[in-house]
Amino acid sequence: MRNIKLEIEYDGTNFCGWQIQTNVRTVQEELEKALTQLTREKIRVYCAGRTDSGVHALGQIVNFKTESRLPEYVFQVGLNGILSKDIRVINAEEAEDDFNSRFSAKSRTYRYDIITRPVAVGREYAWYFKKKLNMAKMQDASSLIIGSHDFKSFCQAGADVNHYLCDVFEAAWLEIDDKLIFNITANRFLHNMVRILVGTFVKIGTGSINVDDMKHILKAKNRIKAGPTAPPHGLFLVKVFYE
Amino acid sequence: MRNIKLEIEYDGTNFCGWQIQTNVRTVQEELEKALTQLTREKIRVYCAGRTDSGVHALGQIVNFKTESRLPEYVFQVGLNGILSKDIRVINAEEAEDDFNSRFSAKSRTYRYDIITRPVAVGREYAWYFKKKLNMAKMQDASSLIIGSHDFKSFCQAGADVNHYLCDVFEAAWLEIDDKLIFNITANRFLHNMVRILVGTFVKIGTGSINVDDMKHILKAKNRIKAGPTAPPHGLFLVKVFYE
């Protein structure tokens, strides 16, 4: 069996997320159907980071096993010929037998875009936030999450995980024109972690809580202490890193 | 009567352009309907640059006459409350009586975005062009159109205009990551002018015609001599300049 690794991009707007569910459109199902059409095999795909409904991916990594002898590039151009325009295959290559898009990943980078003015062009790719945000405070708060921390307060309640420890390598806000962009790189992410972090940073940015509250929220290990979950359409899975 | 000036942004993807036509969705019609709802008057709006189906606007300027005494900011927030999400009012202010969004304009800037790789996120905001393009040649060709020229070769045949003379103040290509961006500022634009220019630059960029052919095409004053019309979704009306 060959193990094929794909780098894919998708616009999450019209998907109910990555994972197959009955009666709704998902990235996983469209990709598996397209692969079955291309290879004439039943294919199961695995991804590095399952994205929720409305969340986008610029560099999602996927792998699957196949008996097909199709050349690598055919998995790119062939799939792009079959798939709808909101999923694109950026690259396709054969991987080592033991490569697993999820478990071989060392870290992932997500990005969250806030737009500070009403916008029509690109409105599905950023969260429009009306109130004035204090970037210096949000920046200070983001530096407090760098390192190894228990992120239970920033995990959707009821998540099925063994532990909540994440190593955050990078967490920073950038301001570019009318956009506030949050970049975060960590070894792993909990369910809704980036969106709850952004919802909390925004509470700090508006002054409704203080920068130092970030420390108390981390310590509390309680989802209720953190801010609201920011909407999905500002979030992008940007890149997955392997050895 | 007051004369109100609006700056608006729209995503052209789901509009059949600016101008009212029966049985299709247009920006003009949606704006006039929203204004009638807001002011309880029959309102007619005028724009600086009529855009075609699929073309976007980041800084379209519109004006209309009204008896309404609503404060200026209400024309912004009120309209944004009524309009669908693909049109946003960026600014609203009272203008001089004789201000006309189209005839008072001194120049306009358009932008055309080409993306050089398959893309899902933002696919409605750039033209995906597969073949390799020589940017240096496209840059050289764009400098040849700066100045005062007869652009009949770059005007859709059958356009209802008195003359084809346009003063081009700026015309240049930029390369940013996977995007090739063409910016052009001129006193006026003919129908499909930017899209036919881009279609011609692309023929130069692939090497199917030479940089110097740009001069011959301008001289020919014949639409057939220029390249094809580039697709609408890469084009943006960026800004309109007044005194």
Side-chain angles (χ1 to χ4, degrees), chain A residues 9 11 117 120-122 125, chain B residues 9 11 117 120-123 125:
Chain A
E9 172 177 328
D11 177 335
R117 62 168 186 86
V121 170
Y125 306 134
Chain B
E9 172 177 328
D11 178 335
R117 63 167 186 86
V121 170
R123 69 197 174 282
Y125 305 134

Side-chain angles (χ1 to χ4, degrees), chain B residues 137-149:
Chain B
K137 285 185 178 176
M138 285 163 66
Q139 197 65 274
D140 287 348
S142 69
S143 69
L144 296 176
I145 63 162
I146 295 172
S148 201
H149 299 282

Side-chain angles (χ1 to χ4, degrees), chain B residues 218-239:
Chain B
L218 275 169
K219 266 192 201 146
K221 301 181 190 176
N222 183 348
R223 168 69 189 91
I224 289 168
K225 300 294 181 184
T229 307
H233 63 288
L235 184 60
F236 298 80
L237 169 55
V238 173
K239 201 171 162 66

